Structures are given as structure tokens and as C-alpha cells.
């Protein structure tokens, strides 16, 4: 965040109310108040939930805005059909932000009208510290059988799940040969879209293309670290270019390379605790 604020370019933050984007706002304003940077944020933009589905986190974003007295503009997440069809983006591939193009354009206009050029996000924070329990597979490979069994039994009891189910998913399945694992994973829920015929799945090798299959495809004794690296490598799939990137310079402080390297080097015990998120 400090590196992003080192220039005189006006900045804004896409504030969701979640911990990640709230931290970006808090750190940016703290840096300004402490005199570490000359300029803080020009303002924030928050997507709201006018349908009342329970996904609205304005209670939290309002707390951040109130604490730092930073400007906050609200953009309804819901868009009407005419809004969605008016001047839609032209794409050559399917694009996740496409249905929200009108919403994103509205957010970008708020920033540009305030002479803002850069928009910071909280994307990536979850991915860096998500973790898995594949360290059990690493323990088995390195001869720590007794410790692995004891800890799996402990976590199964705390989480009230089957020991065998936990062990098969996190200790056994990652270690079996990939051809056999791919066959077994065909019977797991959400392994591949249910509407694909078996012929299409075979001809296009869908089993090897699923995110879950790539998740398990790590080196022996490095299953945990390789799975975490795969999670980080998948971040671009959630940050497809859209109207925001067309109109603003969108940056993601959590993807600062030294921070990513630091997170990848954390021990599993710090990221994946028993029955905790």
C-alpha cells in the first residue's frame, strides 16, 4: 500500500466491507496521518445490495469510513436489463465481469469525476492465506506417520467429520498416481459440469483441466506448498479485464510480489488451524 501511495496520482479504493479491502483503506489513511505519504485516498466506492439478500456489508464499510472520515460513494450491485444491454463490452471470450459492466462503469465514473486515476482493491488476500490440509500428505512422505494420524484424528473430532473422509481427501488422494486419482475424482461432486457427455469429457480431457485436478497435482513432499501456489496462480481468473480496467488503472496491493513470497513461505500451522477460518 505504501508503494502505491508514493506518487501524487489520486487514488481510490474498492471498499467491500471485507477484511482485505478494509485493511487497504485503513493502512492508506494511517500512512497519511503518520506523515509517511503526502496524500492518502481520494475516496472509496462500495457496491451495495439493494435486494436485501444478506450480502450487503455496509455495516462494516461504514465503520471503516466513519473511523477515517474518508469519502464513500455507493453503487447498487443490481442493474436492470436495459442497463446491462446498453453499450455492452465487446469481447472475444466469455468474461466474468460482463453482466456487471454497467455497475463497474458507474464506479469508474465516480472515481474519474473526482479526478482519480488509480483504483486499489483487496483482491488476493484470501488466496494468500487460504491454505489446505495437504501437509498431511507431506508428513506421510517424510515419515511422520504417527503425528499425521494423531493430528487428523484430532481435527476430525473437532470438526465432527469422518476421520477416513478427511484422511482420504488430504493424505491419500494427493499421493496416489495421477491416472488413478483422475478416475477416482470423476465420482467426486463438482468434478466436472454434470451436463458434459462422457465423450466430450474424454475427448477434451476435462478431468485434467478441472481446478480440483490441478490442485492435487503437486510434487511429493511439497503437496501443501504447490497447492497454495496453484491457488495464487488462479487469481487472474477472478480479475478478468472489464470496464474498470478500461477506464482506470486497477491495482491489487495484496499481489505485491514480496508479500506473495512471504505468504507462500508461512508454515501450514499458521494458516490452517483446526476448525478455524
Amino acid at each position: 500500500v505504501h508503494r502505491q501511495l508514493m506518487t501524487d496520482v489520486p487514488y481510490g479504493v474498492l471498499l467491500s466491507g471485507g477484511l482485505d479491502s478494509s485493511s487497504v483503506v485503513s493502512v492508506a489513511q494511517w500512512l497519511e496521518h503518520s506523515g509517511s505519504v503526502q496524500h492518502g485516498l481520494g475516496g472509496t466506492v462500495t457496491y451495495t445490495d439493494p435486494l436485501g439478500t444478506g450480502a450487503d456489508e455496509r455495516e462494516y464499510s461504514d465503520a471503516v469510513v466513519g473511523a477515517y472520515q474518508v469519502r464513500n460513494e455507493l453503487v447498487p450491485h443490481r442493474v436492470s436489463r436495459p442497463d446491462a444491454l446498453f453499450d455492452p463490452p465487446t469481447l472475444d471470450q466469455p468474461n466474468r465481469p460482463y453482466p456487471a459492466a454497467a455497475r463497474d462503469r458507474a464506479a469508474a465514473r465516480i472515481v474519474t469525476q473526482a479526478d482519480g486515476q488509480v483504483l486499489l482493491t483487496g483482491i488476493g488476500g484470501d488466496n494468500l492465506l487460504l491454505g489446505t490440509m495437504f501437509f498431511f500428505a507431506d508428513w506421510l512422505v517424510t515419515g511422520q506417520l504417527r503425528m499425521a494420524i494423531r493430528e487428523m484424528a484430532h481435527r476430525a473430532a473437532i470438526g465432527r467429520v469422518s476421520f477416513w473422509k478427511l484422511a482420504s481427501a488430504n493424505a491419500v488422494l494427493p499421493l496416489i498416481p495421477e491416472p488413478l486419482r483422475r478416475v477416482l475424482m470423476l465420482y467426486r461432486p463438482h468434478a466436472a459440469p454434470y451436463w458434459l457427455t462422457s465423450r466430450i469429457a474424454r475427448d477434451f480431457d476435462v478431468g485434467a483441466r478441472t481446478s480440483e485436478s490441478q490442485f492435487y497435482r503437486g510434487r511429493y513432499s511439497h503437496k501443501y506448498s504447490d497447492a497454495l501456489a496453484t491457488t495464487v496462480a488462479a487469481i487472474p481468473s477472478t480479475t478478468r479485464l472489464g470496464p474498470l480496467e478500461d477506464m482506470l488503472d486497477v491495482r491489487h496491493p495484496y499481489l505485491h510480489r514480496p508479500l506473495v513470497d512471504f505468504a507462500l513461505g508461512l508454515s501450514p500451522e499458521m494458516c490452517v488451524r483446526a476448525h478455524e477460518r
Side-chain angles (χ1 to χ4, degrees):
V1 173
H2 182 266
R3 289 194 59 171
Q4 298 298 340
L5 298 177
M6 288 298 289
T7 65
D8 293 335
V9 178
Y11 291 85
V13 172
L14 196 59
L15 175 62
S16 69
L19 184 61
D20 298 327
S21 61
S22 297
S23 296
V24 172
V25 174
S26 300
V27 170
Q29 295 307 99
W30 173 76
L31 287 170
E32 182 188 24
H33 294 164
S34 64
S36 299
V37 295
Q38 186 175 358
H39 300 287
L41 301 176
T44 60
V45 179
T46 298
Y47 294 142
T48 63
D49 171 29
L51 298 181
T53 63
D56 201 323
E57 296 186 322
R58 266 183 293 178
E59 175 185 356
Y60 307 106
S61 61
D62 287 348
V64 176
V65 170
Y68 295 102
Q69 298 300 307
V70 63
R71 176 183 176 186
N72 183 236
E73 299 286 347
L74 305 179
V75 177
H77 182 72
R78 182 185 183 185
V79 294
S80 65
R81 184 175 179 181
D83 287 340
L85 296 179
F86 176 75
D87 191 24
T90 302
L91 308 170
D92 61 350
Q93 294 290 332
N95 188 298
R96 185 173 297 181
Y98 187 93
R103 178 205 68 181
D104 291 347
R105 282 199 183 102
R109 282 194 294 268
I110 288 174
V111 178
T112 55
Q113 288 171 1
D115 296 326
Q117 302 176 30
V118 178
L119 186 68
L120 305 182
T121 79
I123 291 176
D126 290 336
N127 306 69
L128 297 185
L129 300 175
L130 188 62
T132 72
M133 287 193 285
F134 284 5
F135 58 86
F136 287 130
D138 296 335
W139 288 1
L140 292 181
V141 171
T142 55
Q144 303 176 74
L145 177 61
R146 180 176 298 180
M147 185 170 68
I149 292 177
R150 183 173 64 248
E151 184 62 21
M152 283 189 289
H154 172 64
R155 293 182 181 234
I158 292 178
R160 298 184 179 182
V161 298
S162 165
F163 167 84
W164 302 109
K165 184 176 181 179
L166 186 149
S168 64
N170 298 286
V172 179
L173 196 59
L175 296 179
I176 62 178
E178 184 173 351
L180 177 58
R181 182 172 65 246
R182 285 169 55 181
V183 172
L184 296 175
M185 291 179 69
L186 288 176
Y187 302 98
R188 292 167 62 90
H190 312 302
Y194 69 91
W195 40 265
L196 286 180
T197 65
S198 57
R199 179 180 177 182
I200 290 177
R202 182 181 65 254
D203 291 348
F204 289 91
D205 199 14
V206 173
R209 295 173 181 268
T210 62
S211 58
E212 189 177 33
S213 177
Q214 297 172 23
F215 201 56
Y216 278 85
R217 194 182 299 155
R219 299 164 295 167
Y220 285 103
S221 74
H222 294 83
K223 291 290 183 178
Y224 174 84
S225 59
D226 286 358
L228 186 56
T230 299
T231 302
V232 172
I235 293 177
S237 67
T238 64
T239 57
R240 299 294 187 188
L241 295 180
L244 279 176
E245 287 77 7
D246 290 338
M247 300 174 68
L248 297 169
D249 181 4
V250 180
R251 303 179 185 178
H252 315 291
Y254 282 97
L255 302 187
H256 181 53
R257 182 57 184 265
L259 178 61
V260 174
D261 290 339
F262 173 77
L264 291 176
L266 294 174
S267 66
E269 292 82 3
M270 297 184 68
C271 301
V272 193
R273 298 178 182 178
H275 204 51
E276 291 184 11
R277 292 289 291 173

